[in-house]
Amino acid sequence: MVMPRLQTERGSVTAELAMALPAVALVIAITLGGFALQIERIKLVEVAAVAARSVARGETEEEARAMVAELTAPLPAQAINLNFEFRENVVCAILARQFELPGLGGKLFEISENQCARKMGL
């Protein structure tokens, strides 16, 4: 007695889905992690620009650091690395931080942003 083709392949779709599901989940996780990384970078752009403008206006570096700590409030102050470069007529703020993707251990990426502002009166 010959079994119909439909009965012999029963469950193959379920098995194929079970094999493909981890790969699909990994692709989705990496994509969402990439979006999160870009969002953090955009935040750094804004904060670095604010810090550069404040020092260019004549505020002290300590005041700018306090402003950066306030703008990045959920993060501890040690998580943000802020440096200033003074060039001929501009002040540049270089802001960097370590970033980790959820689900993966360790700080995998360092994102940094450099924003400059022209000194007042020049």
Side-chain angles (χ1 to χ4, degrees), residues 37 97-101 106-111:
L37 191 64
R97 77 171 280 239
Q98 297 288 321
F99 186 79
E100 64 184 49
L101 290 176
K107 307 241 186 263
L108 298 176
F109 300 100
E110 179 177 282
I111 51 177

Side-chain angles (χ1 to χ4, degrees), residues 56-58 89 118-122:
R57 280 191 308 259
N89 62 349
R118 190 171 178 168
K119 293 179 185 177
M120 286 297 266
L122 297 178

Side-chain angles (χ1 to χ4, degrees), residues 5-19:
R5 180 182 167 130
L6 194 58
Q7 288 182 352
T8 59
E9 293 184 10
R10 188 173 191 174
S12 63
V13 173
T14 305
E16 289 172 4
L17 179 64
M19 289 179 63

